[in-house]
Amino acid sequence: MLMLKKRSTPYSTHKDRAVWFNERTCWPLRDADPSALEKVWHTRASAPPATEPVQWEAAGPFNVGGRVTSLAVHPTDHQVLYAGAAAGGVWRSRDGGKSWETTWPKSANPHIGALAIHSKNPLVIYCATGEANLSADSYAGSGIYISQDGGDTWNMLAPAKECGLPRRIGTIGVHPYSGDGQVLYLGGVTHEETIPSGLYASSDGGKTWDVERFFSSRNYWCHSIVFHPDGLVFAALETTGTQNGIWRLNDEGWEHLEMGLPPSDRLGRIALAIAPSQPDTLYALAGDWGAKKVAGIFRSRNKGERWEKIGDEQFADEHLPSYDCTIAVHPQDPDFVVWGGVDLYITRDSGKKWVRATQWNADHMNPSYAHSDHHALAMPAGDRIYTGSDGGVAVSEDGGKSWTDRSRGMNTTMFYSLDVAPTNSSIFGGGAQDNGTLMAGIGSPKGDFQQVLTGDGGGMVFDPADEKHVFGTAQNLRVSRHSPSPRWDSASWKEAPLPASIVTADELSQTDVAVMAIDPTSTARVKTIWIGSKRLWRTSNYGGNWYPGSPFLDGTVITAIEIAPANPEMLFVGTTKGSIFRSRDGGQSWSGNVSGPEIPMRLVSQIRTHPKFAEKVVATVAGTGVVSRFIPHTRHYAAGMSAEEATAGIDHVFYSEDGGSTWRPIDGLDMPDVPYKSAVFESHPPYRLFVANDCGVWMTEDLRHWVDLSASLPNVVVNSLVYHHDDRILTVATYGRGIWRLHLPGKTHAPA
């Protein structure tokens, strides 16, 4: 039996899964530059409305929530709940999560880090953007927004660039004991030293901010902030050194609170909570810096002077405190505490006894089930508990004994991939972050999706002649096949594993979201299916047997596979390193790297051939690299500047007319310098080309002039595109706002 090894990488706060995301977003840097996105959003917001606007339609899932990073509850009406989505804006519920609406501006950054309701005026809400959950599968923010009418409208309060704020803010709060309500604090993190982070304070309602330099003149991380009626401020810091831990601000300055806690250099991310009914009592959920485990739950009954451990042994299964880290205290009972990691844990006696309150792997109908990976908690009063997780929002009305999902209608699912059944455009789906493989059109109401495979979903391909023949993948190159059955539950899917005697452990562990392709010829009696590790694998009997379909290529993972519809003997493969390989004989032999000097050494995210001409090839590349980060480009003509000079170093779409032997960039001068994730040709004349990137969808008819088709899409990352031949529907999978569809019966008009 083949044993899988864990990746031999240095300690990192990032989830292993985030490697896949990081390679597509900003490799070799750790964080993407958000300024390019902001420029596009600003341009769209200021553009006049189109005379014939392109109308995208939300296709769901309306029953599967995506990652929620923050929650805020109205202080007197506990049915009014605000949820911040990791990549889907702010959502509001007026009935305790039974229904949701988004009022988030079209032009605003959708990546939400923290929410806070003003302590003296609950109509005033602060939203800090940029996810701070220490994983690369998240996006940076643009600063702080404010609503003064309970979330109906939002305006930028403090732009990150102008105010020198962190791009990832995980905590924000109004000091409730500051007198005039104008004192705010926030804490942020960063993955790159050129972007600021730390503990910040404002004395003018959030218009201007100053970073606290007492701890360091350079960047450090601040994870959590709470306030005491005596005017004290408590902050949890991570400085990668002996100043890690919990600090307290009083009239004399900052004081490091260490008594009873583990050695400071062993402490990682910490979440703090203060008991409103007994504010001298504080709780801390502490992660172990280097071991990816919980260092313990700690309590202080004397304003942090001394701490005592009240739990750790029973939390051995909690291994991601840098990602899942939240804690809350009941507003009337200082001994009633709940904290969240992968699951939720509750004590009603200040830690003498802990109960595991949720079971992430239970049947979804089990009252103990709640989605895994908790990032936000709210306990407004009584026995009500709200939690925000990788699966949206859940609520308990009985103090944690039973749980109900309250994500319906949020439309915040985060998709990695997408495919649509060629024989039936109503059946489609793909892999989603921590929500498995989801499918629509298989018996559920319109807009609802069913989970057909568990875990983090991967790639999916439909047989072009039969929508009931489907392949799906999950982590570590796990392949499953749906047999031609009217049922779609997990029992109707059978594993189709690669041969354990041949595939290497390194191939399995390095492939997070494996790409797949299937012979596009619907009339072919025997169809070949391909899947990529660091080489190709193929099967011609629906996964009964897999065989190597290529040698090991350039030593990196395959990220794109194309079988030319005009000539299925023509195959192309793209890799993480930026290489492109070609076969002209159905995979019997392979070329060397034909990417040439034009295509940068960045991940090849998609390769597509023209529907009628196999020699005409388009390739998109992802990660933004470093050239455009440090060498300014106008992307417009300056005096004496050629088109090549204006776009040098920031191209992402490349075209070949000779089967990949030579390439040229075809990006438009106004197209943004962001990662490009997908491309597809229209399969009818005029054979328009569509590409997807981190800020929407673009189209060209002549491979020179481009049109932004994103006017009615929300601001969101688009990871995948599929064009349906029979129904002329363009379907996109987004990372934060689910699936959207555009009907293309004929000419698509450019916005005016």
Side-chain angles (χ1 to χ4, degrees):
M1 180 178 181
L2 182 65
M3 301 299 292
L4 297 182
K5 299 185 297 182
K6 291 186 176 180
R7 296 184 184 182
S8 56
T9 54
Y11 169 73
S12 170
T13 58
H14 291 193
K15 298 183 299 177
D16 291 340
R17 182 72 162 191
V19 174
W20 179 89
F21 196 95
N22 179 244
E23 289 170 342
R24 280 157 179 75
T25 304
C26 51
W27 189 264
L29 304 176
R30 295 189 71 190
D31 216 357
D33 182 4
S35 61
L37 288 169
E38 291 165 349
K39 291 176 183 176
V40 175
W41 297 336
H42 176 75
T43 300
R44 286 179 182 156
S46 58
T51 55
E52 297 182 55
V54 174
Q55 293 297 330
W56 293 86
E57 297 178 3
F62 302 122
N63 62 325
V64 181
R67 187 162 69 243
V68 167
T69 60
S70 48
L71 296 171
V73 183
H74 192 285
T76 58
D77 185 352
H78 302 150
Q79 293 289 101
V80 177
L81 173 67
Y82 302 89
V90 177
W91 294 74
R92 179 178 62 191
S93 175
R94 301 180 188 272
D95 52 15
K98 294 177 183 177
S99 62
W100 292 93
E101 59 181 339
T102 180
T103 59
W104 196 240
K106 175 69 176 67
S107 59
N109 188 308
H111 311 118
I112 309 304
L115 293 168
I117 296 178
H118 197 284
S119 55
K120 294 178 172 57
N121 182 359
L123 290 178
V124 177
I125 308 165
Y126 297 92
C127 175
T129 58
E131 186 177 2
N133 282 322
L134 301 184
S135 190
D137 61 334
S138 57
Y139 273 79
S142 299
I144 301 169
Y145 293 82
I146 187 171
S147 174
Q148 297 181 330
D149 51 17
D152 287 341
T153 60
W154 295 87
N155 293 291
M156 174 62 78
L157 174 66
K161 185 175 182 179
E162 288 81 349
C163 295
L165 291 175
R167 291 288 190 166
R168 297 175 183 270
I169 301 172
T171 180
I172 187 171
V174 182
H175 198 317
Y177 312 109
S178 63
D180 59 2
Q182 293 293 295
V183 176
L184 284 76
Y185 283 83
L186 66 81
V189 305
T190 185
H191 296 320
E192 187 185 325
E193 61 183 7
T194 62
I195 299 176
S197 66
L199 171 65
Y200 290 70
S202 172
S203 59
D204 58 6
K207 297 182 182 69
T208 61
W209 294 82
D210 294 308
V211 63
E212 178 54 75
R213 293 298 186 192
F214 175 84
F215 314 104
S216 173
S217 62
R218 299 183 64 82
N219 282 341
Y220 58 94
W221 294 351
C222 177
H223 296 296
S224 187
I225 302 167
V226 295
F227 306 99
H228 189 279
D230 289 350
L232 305 174
V233 180
F234 297 86
L237 306 182
E238 191 173 352
T239 66
T240 61
T242 57
Q243 296 190 82
N244 292 352
I246 303 170
W247 290 77
R248 180 179 63 193
L249 175 65
N250 56 30
D251 292 339
E252 297 178 357
W254 287 98
E255 180 183 4
H256 199 180
L257 307 176
E258 301 179 89
M259 189 174 295
L261 293 171
S264 296
D265 57 357
R266 295 301 307 174
L267 290 172
R269 182 175 178 177
I270 296 175
L272 298 173
I274 193 166
S277 61
Q278 193 179 90
D280 286 0
T281 299
L282 292 93
Y283 293 88
L285 161 62
D288 186 298
W289 181 83
K292 289 193 176 182
K293 67 178 183 179
V294 174
I297 313 297
F298 299 89
R299 180 192 62 209
S300 172
R301 294 194 183 276
N302 55 5
K303 304 179 186 178
E305 290 287 345
R306 182 178 183 85
W307 298 82
E308 59 179 327
K309 183 181 286 189
I310 59 172
D312 66 346
E313 301 86 359
Q314 58 272 63
F315 311 134
D317 292 337
E318 294 294 334
H319 58 279
L320 283 174
S322 64
Y323 178 68
D324 309 317
C325 192
T326 181
I327 191 167
V329 186
H330 193 281
Q332 285 87 41
D333 185 351
D335 297 328
F336 185 1
V337 183
V338 56
W339 74 268
V342 175
D343 272 311
L344 294 177
Y345 300 83
I346 289 177
T347 180
R348 289 179 176 267
D349 54 15
S350 194
K352 294 178 183 177
K353 179 182 178 182
W354 288 94
V355 175
R356 183 181 176 188
T358 62
Q359 302 279 340
W360 69 269
N361 54 355
D363 184 273
H364 288 200
M365 301 303 293
N366 190 312
S368 68
Y369 171 77
H371 200 285
S372 60
D373 295 330
H374 299 266
H375 306 289
L377 286 164
M379 300 177 70
D383 282 333
R384 179 174 296 182
I385 306 172
Y386 292 110
T387 178
S389 71
D390 275 13
V393 175
V395 65
S396 173
E397 304 282 5
D398 53 14
K401 296 176 183 176
S402 62
W403 297 85
T404 304
D405 180 75
R406 290 283 171 86
S407 304
R408 174 169 286 279
M410 292 188 75
N411 193 25
T412 53
T413 315
M414 309 168 87
F415 278 92
Y416 295 115
S417 63
L418 170 73
D419 200 16
V420 181
T423 54
N424 187 344
S425 65
S426 66
I427 296 180
F428 54 93
Q433 191 270 320
D434 215 18
N435 275 301
T437 299
L438 303 173
M439 290 185 63
I442 54 175
S444 299
K446 184 178 181 180
D448 282 8
F449 284 51
Q450 291 185 34
Q451 185 184 80
V452 295
L453 296 173
T454 59
D456 273 305
M460 170 180 282
V461 291
F462 285 90
D463 188 315
D466 182 0
E467 65 263 26
K468 294 185 177 65
H469 269 124
V470 195
F471 278 80
T473 66
Q475 303 102 310
N476 303 125
L477 266 177
R478 290 176 12 232
V479 187
S480 297
R481 174 178 62 89
H482 182 264
S483 59
S485 165
R487 296 172 52 201
W488 286 96
D489 58 9
S490 57
S492 65
W493 290 75
K494 305 299 181 184
E495 289 192 12
L498 301 184
S501 60
I502 304 176
V503 67
T504 67
D506 179 60
E507 287 180 88
L508 298 181
S509 65
Q510 293 287 328
T511 308
D512 292 298
V513 182
V515 291
M516 304 181 72
I518 189 169
D519 188 331
T521 308
S522 61
T523 57
R525 187 172 60 86
V526 178
K527 297 180 181 65
T528 302
I529 298 132
W530 303 82
I531 188 170
S533 59
K534 293 184 177 180
R535 53 181 163 173
L536 281 176
W537 296 83
R538 61 179 175 82
T539 179
S540 297
N541 59 356
Y542 288 103
N545 303 97
W546 291 92
Y547 302 96
S550 76
F552 288 96
L553 299 173
D554 64 2
T556 63
V557 172
I558 290 171
T559 53
I561 306 171
E562 166 70 349
I563 307 170
N567 177 12
E569 293 292 299
M570 177 81 86
L571 278 71
F572 292 91
V573 168
T575 71
T576 305
K577 190 178 180 179
S579 302
I580 295 177
F581 299 86
R582 178 187 62 209
S583 173
R584 294 185 180 274
D585 54 13
Q588 297 302 310
S589 62
W590 289 89
S591 70
N593 178 16
V594 297
S595 64
E598 290 79 12
I599 296 179
M601 293 181 65
R602 306 177 197 160
L603 182 144
V604 177
S605 54
Q606 191 88 75
I607 303 173
R608 287 288 183 251
T609 57
H610 191 283
K612 296 298 181 181
F613 306 102
E615 297 288 320
K616 296 183 177 182
V617 192
V618 167
T620 58
V621 299
T624 54
V626 297
V627 174
S628 58
R629 194 74 164 271
F630 300 109
I631 302 176
H633 292 270
T634 64
R635 294 197 67 78
H636 295 281
Y637 291 107
M641 182 183 290
S642 68
E644 290 76 14
E645 291 170 330
T647 58
I650 52 177
D651 298 300
H652 294 272
V653 187
F654 297 86
Y655 176 65
S656 172
E657 291 185 325
D658 52 15
S661 296
T662 60
W663 299 86
R664 62 181 174 89
I666 58 171
D667 305 55
L669 291 177
D670 293 324
M671 293 176 72
D673 177 29
V674 297
Y676 284 62
K677 306 293 183 62
S678 187
V680 69
F681 276 102
E682 181 181 26
S683 53
H684 303 86
Y687 304 113
R688 293 167 288 190
L689 173 67
F690 303 89
V691 297
N693 58 35
D694 274 9
C695 55
V697 180
W698 297 69
M699 178 199 74
T700 180
E701 291 188 11
D702 57 9
L703 303 183
R704 293 193 307 272
H705 303 93
W706 291 84
V707 174
D708 182 0
L709 293 185
S710 310
S712 60
L713 273 177
N715 281 352
V716 68
V717 172
V718 179
N719 271 338
S720 192
L721 289 169
V722 176
Y723 179 80
H724 194 271
H725 178 82
D726 290 342
D727 294 335
R728 302 192 180 200
I729 296 174
L730 184 66
T731 307
V732 303
T734 76
Y735 197 74
R737 289 300 308 273
I739 306 292
W740 292 71
R741 313 194 87 180
L742 177 65
H743 291 262
L744 295 168
K747 177 86 171 177
T748 296
H749 295 279

